[in-house]
Amino acid sequence: MARFTLPLCAIVFAIVSTLSANAIAQPALTTETLADNIYLLRAPEALDFWTATNSVVIVNDQDVVVFDSFTRPGTARLAIAAIRKLTTKPVRTLINSHWHQDHWRGNDEFVTAYPGIQIVTTVETRDYMRRMQSGFLINGTRA
């Protein structure tokens, strides 16, 4: 049994090291300050898979306004975490600029994180989102 312990430990160590290295190497959301209380959150193409996306965050006196919610729910969750690092104020308004999915697929995450949030968009974009629903994306990717 002792002769299996060392190789087994080496295998476990190699797997854990690889997983740790992969976790560190993941692309990250970046935050840029555009002006006082106005921020740009950027998701590189490697994070959102097929497109580089961004969102603008405006911190007001009482609340926060967000323009667009990213392509993937996972990226939207990173954005919510970044916003919570910037301020404790709630996001009360989410504006979807247009119908492309990289501007609204993260909406559900914002609704979950900020109950009562108001989502603002055009009638045409709203109708499109209702038809497509948030779960739709290439190859069914939702992460």
Side-chain angles (χ1 to χ4, degrees), residues 2-25:
R3 67 183 179 158
F4 293 111
T5 304
L6 186 57
L8 181 60
C9 288
I11 291 170
V12 170
F13 178 76
I15 290 171
V16 170
S17 297
T18 301
L19 292 175
S20 297
N22 287 341
I24 293 169

Side-chain angles (χ1 to χ4, degrees), residues 70-100:
F70 290 103
T71 305
R72 298 175 54 238
T75 310
R77 288 189 296 273
L78 291 174
I80 291 164
I83 292 166
R84 288 182 171 154
K85 287 180 183 177
L86 296 170
T87 183
T88 58
K89 297 172 186 173
V91 176
R92 291 207 176 116
T93 305
L94 172 60
I95 301 169
N96 295 136
S97 61
H98 64 284
W99 63 274
H100 291 158

